[in-house]
Amino acid sequence: MVERISRRIIQCGIFFVPFIPLIVTNSMFFPFITGKAFAFRITVEIIFAAWLLLIMRDATYRPRRSLVAWALAGLVGIMGLATIFGESPLRSFWSNFERMEGYVTLLHLFAYFLVLGSFLKTEQAWKRLFATTVGVSAFIGLYVIGETASLFGTYHVGARLGATFGNPTYLAVYMLFHIFLALWLLYRARQEKIMRLVYAGALLLQFFALYHTATRGTILGVIGGLGLAALLVAIFGKEHPRARRISAAIIISIAALAASVYLGRGTEFVKGNPVLNRFGTISFTEITTQSRFILWEKIAWEGFKEHPVLGWGQDNFIHVFGKYYAPEMHRQEPWFDRAHNVFLDWLVAGGVLALLAYLFLFGTALVVLWKKTNGLSIVEKAIFTGLFAGYFFHNLFVFDNLISYILFVFLLAYLHTHARVEKEIVPAQNKTKGLGESTRLALSITTVVVGVVVLYTVNVPAFSRAQTLIKALGGSDVGGIYNDFQTALTKGFLGKEETREQFGQTALRVVRSELPEDTKVTFLNQALNELHEQTVQDPTNTRPLYFMASTLVDVGAFEEALIPINDALAINPNRQITLLEKGIVLRKLERYQESFDVYKYTFELAPDFKEARLQYIVAAYLLGDTQLVKTQIEVLEQYLAEEPEDAETYFLLGTTHLNTGNETKAVVYFEKAIELNKEFEAQGRSIIDAIKSGYKVEIKTP
């Protein structure tokens, strides 16, 4: 009975995992991430415990050796050491709500691999699982069609859709895997007309969804992977004449498509299409491309050089980014917790050992794939090789996520079943002989008890925090909100930093409200205490230091704010958002010369940073240096003569004139900014109306 129940649990769990991408938990913080992660962890913990019970009784389900298994075990072992000896072991182990990765997820992925690679023994079983996950991907393709037709709400970045992933890049790599899996199923169903039509339909939906992610690296990876697969079939598939003809057509189509986009990149059709235009504008001078090179060369590489052997530990790139931040990155978002290159992420997280282990995974997978005795045809080998190539290319420009990890391990487990070293399996009763029924019973009870403890410890506190945090953020009663934050902060490590940040932001809204003064003081003091505790626990991370400082600035505690500001600048003296915050504080304290010196230094770090230039001009104005103010304004006006459609510069000049006392000119520039870009209308109109009503207006930046 134990064997039968264990097998049923494992089977249900394995076939549930492909449905995890559909999960969106709006009742939890980071709804597109946390729900999926908890579902995966709980599922793996249950099926792994059931598998342990099963292998005590049936030796046929015990793990077998293979190059792929050893490679994955090696990576897990190396990252275990990197976690222990890294910058922040707790963060490395648990990660945070935004990513839900860390070493705990790596352990779950390895457990998932062991169960998959041991339990699914036949091609028919694997084919059913492949068909299940491809079916789910087709459903998500239908969901994307619904998004484009505005049939329901959508998550998007500009024209880029994210479906149930909340991130276009995550959706893109999900479709990358499933396009090749659908091709594999299409090939396997070459004698089944109805199933060929089904899989062909799934492919169309997958391509449609991939296109609407507009994720250039992934789309190019798919195109390149398809091209490589077709080329391999064309070269080695002599026994598959029909497949070779199809491959030739694919190669010609890819070449024609690439030529069309390149030659038509300047046409109105390409420019007017937000997806095609992203490909038409690819260049080494593009801001995103330049920022990637800076991120890789000046930040990630420098971080690797500091800890070259075992790295900083998983999820600690935020420390590297804070310490080695380059001023040229001001045009990008202020906080990067990934290198946007998977190979550099492994290099930073686990040093050269982790990167070699990760690359070895790809190598062993290809070795196993191309073994003559693995039972796969040339066409199948070509399809999976194309998948690996496309995924490898995708990884050069973005970072992995939980679902792409699951799919990668899923594929590795499939290859493991084709590569494992089979030995004569000793009957189960002989394998367990000598243990005794009572010993086996004791081991089974221990497995269940430990499994329950692990399930609770890994999931319940963090699950509760994710829900309580959302409840606090959506609450209306300040007493209830305060209690919810207090409750959330008692729930272990995972998500505590994010809870503290949200507590600080909520405290600012409370302070600005009409609530009683003692309520404001209580709420604010507790939030500040929690932010301070975060800076103490993670002193080499500039993010909590910045949040602590900005909260203190917002409530007027300028002297106190200088402490975390200076601590952050001690880690990296060139971090512009911290320098700008310091300049604000010094100006509020009427230390104008010091404020000017800070803004001058900030401006000289990157003269194209418009916010720094604005503050530099204002600081010069407050010191009475009218010549410097005039010179800098002339520079901006000269820039406008060359770029007359730059609404941002018009708005910047309006702000500059407003903050230096010339309200008449400010109105002119604000009007022009609004005319060129409606995104400035709300703020611009508000300022103009205030000026015309006779109010004294100052735009407090940053």
Side-chain angles (χ1 to χ4, degrees), residues 674-692:
I674 293 168
E675 178 187 332
L676 292 170
N677 190 335
K678 295 301 180 185
E679 290 182 8
F680 292 107
E681 185 162 15
Q683 187 180 7
R685 285 291 169 212
S686 175
I687 296 168
I688 292 169
D689 291 343
I691 292 171
K692 291 181 176 179

Side-chain angles (χ1 to χ4, degrees), residues 41 83 88-97 99-105 108 314-315 454 457-459 461-462 492-495:
R41 292 178 183 184
T83 297
S88 176
L90 280 174
R91 185 186 184 94
S92 293
F93 187 85
W94 290 110
S95 186
N96 59 13
F97 283 147
R99 302 300 178 197
M100 291 292 286
E101 294 176 17
Y103 192 62
V104 66
T105 293
H108 281 74
Q314 282 180 263
D315 279 273
V454 169
T457 304
V458 170
N459 301 288
F493 180 86
L494 177 57

Side-chain angles (χ1 to χ4, degrees), residues 94 461-462 465 488-496:
W94 290 110
R465 170 176 283 152
L489 286 165
T490 65
K491 306 292 184 180
F493 180 86
L494 177 57
K496 179 167 278 191

Side-chain angles (χ1 to χ4, degrees), residues 239-313:
E239 298 177 0
H240 305 274
R242 186 166 180 268
R244 294 181 82 183
R245 290 193 297 272
I246 294 173
S247 297
I250 290 173
I251 293 170
I252 293 170
S253 299
I254 289 173
L257 176 64
S260 299
V261 174
Y262 178 77
L263 295 174
R265 65 189 184 280
T267 64
E268 289 302 319
F269 175 77
V270 172
K271 287 183 177 180
N273 186 298
V275 177
L276 293 178
N277 188 52
R278 281 178 54 81
F279 287 88
T281 56
I282 293 177
S283 73
F284 287 108
T285 60
E286 185 191 18
I287 290 176
T288 302
T289 306
Q290 287 183 333
S291 297
R292 289 288 188 272
F293 288 134
I294 295 166
L295 186 63
W296 299 340
E297 178 185 0
K298 295 188 176 182
I299 300 176
W301 186 252
E302 291 300 318
F304 157 68
K305 289 195 297 184
E306 184 173 343
H307 296 294
V309 180
L310 282 174
W312 295 67

Side-chain angles (χ1 to χ4, degrees), residues 468-586:
T468 307
L469 180 52
I470 281 292
K471 183 182 175 186
L473 293 174
S476 56
D477 172 59
V478 70
I481 293 171
Y482 181 85
N483 291 333
D484 286 336
F485 272 114
Q486 293 292 86
T487 301
L489 286 165
T490 65
K491 306 292 184 180
F493 180 86
L494 177 57
K496 179 167 278 191
E497 179 180 353
E498 290 150 312
T499 303
R500 284 168 167 161
E501 290 177 2
Q502 295 300 322
F503 197 4
Q505 296 299 306
T506 303
L508 292 178
R509 291 194 291 273
V510 170
V511 168
R512 294 167 187 150
S513 71
E514 300 299 322
L515 290 167
E517 198 63 30
D518 59 338
T519 301
K520 296 180 182 180
V521 171
T522 301
F523 210 108
L524 178 63
N525 285 343
Q526 187 59 36
L528 288 172
N529 287 339
E530 291 294 340
L531 289 169
H532 175 70
E533 186 64 26
Q534 187 64 41
T535 66
V536 172
Q537 291 178 5
D538 205 3
T540 60
N541 184 354
T542 58
R543 182 181 172 97
L545 290 168
Y546 176 78
F547 269 88
M548 177 71 177
S550 62
T551 303
L552 289 167
V553 169
D554 281 349
V555 298
F558 303 120
E559 290 285 0
E560 293 87 343
L562 282 174
I563 297 172
I565 287 173
N566 288 330
D567 288 343
L569 290 175
I571 297 171
N572 187 324
N574 298 330
R575 192 80 159 91
Q576 286 123 316
I577 61 169
T578 314
L579 288 165
L580 290 171
E581 201 75 55
K582 184 172 184 177
I584 285 282
V585 169
L586 292 171

Side-chain angles (χ1 to χ4, degrees), residues 418-453:
H418 285 266
R420 59 194 183 191
V421 178
E422 297 286 2
K423 292 185 176 180
E424 182 182 354
I425 299 174
V426 180
Q429 60 270 26
N430 293 334
K431 277 285 185 180
T432 57
K433 188 176 181 180
L435 292 176
E437 186 61 32
S438 60
T439 302
R440 196 156 56 235
L441 178 61
L443 287 173
S444 298
I445 293 172
T446 301
T447 298
V448 173
V449 171
V450 171
V452 170
V453 171

